[in-house]
Amino acid sequence: MNRARLEAALVSIWYRHKRPPFGLQLLAHLFRAASTARRAAYDKGLRPSRRVAAPVVVVGNITVGGSGKTPLTIWLAKALREQGIRVGLVTRGYGGAARYWPRDVTPASDTAEVGDEAVLLARSTGCPVVAGPERAAAAARLAGEVDVIIADDGLQHYALQRDFEIAVVDGERGLGNGWLLPAGPLREPVARLDEVDCIVVRGGAERMAMAGALSMTLKLGDARALGSDEQRPLSSFRDTPVHAVAGIGHPEQFFSMLRAEGLEVIPHPFPDHAALALKDVDFAYGPVLMTEKDAVKLPAVDNARLWVVPAEASLPEAEADDLVTRIRGLVRVS
């Protein structure tokens, strides 16, 4: 069974209201034991945990797959910059094959070296970005240059001490069947959410109510030509079927958002962080709409059929102001 089929089979188990197969249950109990022991080792100082010379905000989740962590990280970085705060970003660099880490990331960095999310963060925020599997080392590289560090997808990376934790929850899919990996989608027990400083629920508020949680929506912007600054409203694509490309944690989310804009979608899901090339988006006819995370892997060719569709996070004004104020309070005033 290839990776895509295995992922699809597991997801079908994770998000149905039935007990997972007994073999997966046994593996989940082993995963829980290992996860608990690992966390305890950090809590007791048996494994090193590093504090850097800048406050650290972690944006993560307790489930695998896309929940909206990176869009929220981008939104938060921009919101803090508007307050005059110098923001630095660290990310794992997943999928990158660099020979040494940590690595400074620029909008022109090669995704094959540092990973797609790292380049997306650099292009979308204008903030300094450092990628590396050891996030504490990446954060230390930034600490003297910025007022606050945001760690994208670092909730379980306890080697980096943090001052503020944000857990993002997919309001549509929720927490699945409540089982830990591989029997369910959970990286940590649900009780972990009681420890974080803030829970942000993306979409599906009526289906995923959590006391005190903030609500976030994702909104698609105008499509942008892959090789130029030309833009078109999504409504202009309603007269013909469109090929939709998504190599993200939850591709159906992108397809559904396009359909909600009135588009007829021919879906092309890829595994998260898939290494895409132009041949992978070269379809026989019609326009091709792709996520920003996929577009950063492709050269900026002049092809009138290839379009990038940004998805921006949005929070209600009062909730947004409260979150920014709480994080601003961490920043040392000189």
Side-chain angles (χ1 to χ4, degrees):
M1 182 180 292
N2 62 31
R3 176 184 170 187
R5 290 185 179 180
L6 177 59
E7 289 181 352
L10 287 174
V11 168
S12 69
I13 293 172
W14 295 347
Y15 293 100
R16 68 185 184 188
H17 299 292
K18 294 182 180 179
R19 292 181 67 84
F22 182 69
L24 292 181
Q25 293 183 39
L26 291 178
L27 292 175
H29 288 304
L30 292 175
F31 182 89
R32 178 188 288 269
S35 176
T36 300
R38 177 177 175 273
R39 175 79 184 275
Y42 282 110
D43 291 343
K44 295 177 180 179
L46 301 178
R47 298 185 69 168
S49 182
R50 184 175 181 180
R51 177 168 292 282
V52 299
V56 173
V57 177
V58 168
V59 179
N61 63 8
I62 64 168
T63 58
V64 297
S67 62
K69 301 181 300 296
T70 299
L72 180 62
T73 297
I74 292 170
W75 173 88
L76 184 57
K78 291 180 175 179
L80 292 171
R81 284 192 66 186
E82 290 176 359
Q83 298 285 321
I85 297 173
R86 297 178 302 164
V87 179
L89 301 169
V90 298
T91 185
R92 177 183 174 187
Y94 188 90
R99 297 178 62 183
Y100 65 89
W101 301 98
R103 292 283 295 269
D104 295 330
V105 181
T106 72
S109 291
D110 185 354
T111 59
E113 289 288 313
V114 299
D116 48 18
E117 287 179 345
V119 176
L120 175 59
L121 289 172
R123 291 186 183 182
S124 300
T125 67
C127 296
V129 177
V130 178
E134 298 298 328
R135 292 179 184 75
R141 196 178 181 104
L142 284 170
E145 306 174 13
V146 299
D147 300 314
V148 65
I149 295 170
I150 304 175
D152 180 36
D153 194 17
L155 198 59
Q156 289 79 34
H157 195 83
Y158 295 111
L160 174 61
Q161 296 185 28
R162 65 286 309 269
D163 301 273
F164 197 92
E165 292 184 326
I166 303 173
V168 186
V169 176
D170 183 339
E172 292 293 334
R173 298 200 297 178
L175 302 176
N177 58 13
W179 282 81
L180 269 69
L181 292 166
L186 296 181
R187 302 177 179 183
E188 295 185 283
V190 175
R192 178 69 171 87
L193 293 176
D194 296 331
E195 303 175 11
V196 303
D197 298 282
C198 178
I199 299 173
V200 176
V201 178
R202 182 202 62 77
E206 70 283 0
R207 298 166 60 182
M208 195 68 201
M210 290 185 171
L214 307 185
S215 58
M216 178 181 78
T217 57
L218 290 181
K219 179 177 176 56
L220 297 181
D222 290 343
R224 183 185 73 253
L226 180 65
S228 72
D229 293 329
E230 181 185 355
Q231 295 190 22
R232 285 177 56 181
L234 289 178
S235 58
S236 67
F237 293 93
R238 291 174 182 167
D239 59 345
T240 183
V242 300
H243 295 274
V245 171
I248 57 178
H250 184 23
E252 183 57 38
Q253 173 187 319
F254 181 61
F255 306 147
S256 296
M257 293 173 72
L258 290 175
R259 294 188 186 104
E261 296 289 337
L263 275 60
E264 181 181 347
V265 173
I266 304 171
H268 299 275
F270 289 86
D272 197 10
H273 305 287
L276 296 182
L278 286 173
K279 63 181 178 60
D280 297 312
V281 298
D282 184 18
F283 304 110
Y285 63 91
V288 180
L289 307 184
M290 67 189 76
T291 73
E292 288 183 299
K293 184 173 171 179
D294 298 303
V296 297
K297 306 166 193 173
L298 302 176
V301 295
D302 185 11
N303 186 324
R305 296 177 54 224
L306 302 181
W307 297 84
V308 186
V309 183
E312 296 185 352
S314 176
L315 280 72
E317 183 176 357
E319 296 181 4
D321 290 345
D322 177 66
L323 179 58
V324 171
T325 298
R326 292 174 68 187
I327 294 175
R328 185 182 176 88
L330 303 173
V331 177
R332 300 176 181 87
V333 179
S334 58

